[in-house]
Amino acid sequence: MNGEKTAVIVLSWNGAADTLACLASLVKVRQPEFTVILADNGSTDGTVALVRQAFPKVEILELGRNLGFAAGNNAAFRSLCRRGFDRVVFLNNDTVVDPGFLQPLLDELQKPWVGIAAPKILYMDNPERIWYAGGVLDSATGLIEHTGIRQPDGPRFDTPEPVWYATGCCLGMRSYDFEAVGGFDERFRMYGEDVDLSIKVRKRGLIVMYQPASRIWHRVSASSSGEMNLGKQLRKSVAAMTLFAKHGMIGGLVLYPLLLPFRAVLGLLRFLLFRRKSSQEREEV
């Protein structure tokens, strides 16, 4: 694309097996050309040594300690400065990518009105079901939810469209735009920083585009001990309140804590139903 350079930043903190699987999937992406940077948040499980041995061409940035998602990715992005990278894709290490995942994202970023491009994300352990097919943010009630989560993939999730937010699991941006909005807000150590980034991009008059022609698979919550882990839910709640306060979403500040018990129960019921259906599907196979 006119000589433009692309970097894919993979942030890791332990989880060596996931990181190796992610990098192995990136090796299969032949076109377009891109550079992989592994930003390691002080892993103690030998991740760096294993990656050096298995993928000697991967650039490794050793951050020394766990800076968290936002600060770790920001540090990796700063390492690209003055190296001429025009586009950057942030990718979780607990993902594997389709060999054709990159080009559709970069095609979207060729459009000047697109600020963020996000792929379709499926469950790795349930690859026919959606984890992310867009995101909804209702500032009046404090609802933050992935479109299509846990639903079977199908034609209704195959249409590119503007969405409220992208997930930090995988998103692509022009380097200029990422720098212009100040990168990820490091007050969000985990959760919320991706929604905040999306809001900042949208405030600049750009859109967040869901592009289902790009596909990846996510081992959900590999670093958080389960999708419905109580600690994870508490961290997400704190992040949501921080988000509402930062952006002056009064409705969210008031109604989010009031509605949280009901949403928690509903979320648990949906999750249990999802687990039951997934188990039945595996038994049928």
Side-chain angles (χ1 to χ4, degrees), residues 248-268:
M249 299 178 182
I250 305 302
L253 279 172
V254 173
L255 291 179
Y256 183 89
L258 293 176
L259 295 175
L260 184 59
F262 303 98
R263 287 177 179 159
V265 171
L266 181 60
L268 179 60

Side-chain angles (χ1 to χ4, degrees), residues 11 20 24-25 29-30 40 54 76 114 118-119 122 135 142 144 148 152 164 178 196 198-199 204-205 231 246 270:
L11 186 71
L20 292 171
S25 71
V29 181
R30 300 298 183 184
D40 186 73
V114 174
L122 302 143
I144 303 173
W164 281 96
F178 185 76
D196 175 68
S198 300
I199 292 172
R204 295 188 70 235
K246 176 180 177 179
R270 287 176 175 173

Side-chain angles (χ1 to χ4, degrees), residues 2 23 83 96 141 171 179 182 189 196 201 208 210 277 279:
N2 302 319
L23 296 176
R83 294 181 58 189
V96 296
T141 64
L171 63 86
E179 190 169 16
R189 280 189 58 84
D196 175 68
V201 165
V208 179
Y210 164 66
K277 287 183 177 179
S279 178

Side-chain angles (χ1 to χ4, degrees), residues 177-190:
D177 291 326
F178 185 76
E179 190 169 16
V181 300
F184 291 109
D185 187 335
E186 296 181 12
R187 287 175 291 182
F188 299 90
R189 280 189 58 84
M190 194 173 190

Side-chain angles (χ1 to χ4, degrees), residues 1-13:
M1 289 185 177
N2 302 319
E4 294 182 330
K5 293 173 64 177
T6 300
V8 175
I9 293 174
V10 178
L11 186 71
S12 65
W13 179 64

Side-chain angles (χ1 to χ4, degrees), residues 18-272:
D18 283 330
T19 300
L20 292 171
C22 177
L23 296 176
S25 71
L26 285 169
V27 168
K28 298 176 183 177
V29 181
R30 300 298 183 184
Q31 294 293 333
E33 292 185 4
F34 63 100
T35 299
V36 178
I37 292 93
L38 176 70
D40 186 73
N41 257 338
S43 293
T44 58
D45 64 348
T47 291
V48 171
L50 290 168
V51 170
R52 282 203 175 104
Q53 181 178 19
F55 303 99
K57 293 184 179 180
V58 169
E59 295 186 24
I60 300 177
L61 175 64
E62 296 187 67
L63 299 173
R65 61 189 179 90
N66 188 2
L67 300 179
F69 179 90
N73 275 311
N74 284 346
F77 179 79
R78 287 194 297 270
S79 76
L80 303 179
C81 293
R82 295 180 295 279
R83 294 181 58 189
F85 285 98
D86 305 280
R87 291 84 53 94
V88 59
V89 175
F90 298 96
L91 181 68
N92 274 16
N93 70 320
D94 54 357
T95 63
V96 296
V97 304
D98 181 83
F101 99 104
L102 186 55
Q103 189 67 65
L105 298 182
L106 300 187
D107 287 344
E108 290 297 338
L109 295 177
Q110 289 292 103
K111 303 169 184 176
W113 57 88
V114 174
I116 299 178
K120 175 189 287 187
I121 306 177
L122 302 143
Y123 283 89
M124 194 179 302
D125 294 334
N126 296 273
E128 301 304 318
R129 288 187 176 268
I130 295 288
W131 183 72
Y132 171 90
V136 175
L137 168 63
D138 187 341
S139 60
T141 64
L143 175 67
I144 303 173
E145 185 174 65
H146 288 2
T147 300
I149 186 167
R150 305 188 191 99
Q151 297 180 33
D153 190 13
R156 60 185 171 139
F157 300 119
D158 287 341
T159 302
E161 60 181 357
V163 295
W164 281 96
Y165 69 86
T167 169
C169 178
C170 181
L171 63 86
M173 293 186 67
R174 288 181 291 271
S175 297
Y176 171 82
D177 291 326
F178 185 76
E179 190 169 16
V181 300
F184 291 109
D185 187 335
E186 296 181 12
R187 287 175 291 182
F188 299 90
R189 280 189 58 84
M190 194 173 190
Y191 308 118
E193 61 284 293
D194 45 8
V195 181
D196 175 68
L197 181 74
S198 300
I199 292 172
K200 292 189 294 186
V201 165
R202 294 176 67 242
K203 284 182 176 179
R204 295 188 70 235
L206 302 173
I207 67 172
V208 179
M209 178 61 75
Y210 164 66
Q211 177 46 267
S214 173
R215 297 185 305 157
I216 73 170
W217 292 264
H218 180 29
R219 190 181 303 282
V220 175
S221 302
S223 63
S224 303
S225 303
E227 191 173 356
M228 297 303 293
N229 176 272
L230 179 60
K232 172 184 174 180
Q233 297 305 315
L234 288 174
R235 289 191 292 272
K236 289 179 71 173
S237 296
V238 170
M241 295 298 287
T242 302
L243 183 79
F244 301 144
K246 176 180 177 179
H247 294 284
M249 299 178 182
I250 305 302
L253 279 172
V254 173
L255 291 179
Y256 183 89
L258 293 176
L259 295 175
L260 184 59
F262 303 98
R263 287 177 179 159
V265 171
L266 181 60
L268 179 60
L269 292 174
R270 287 176 175 173
F271 178 71
L272 292 174

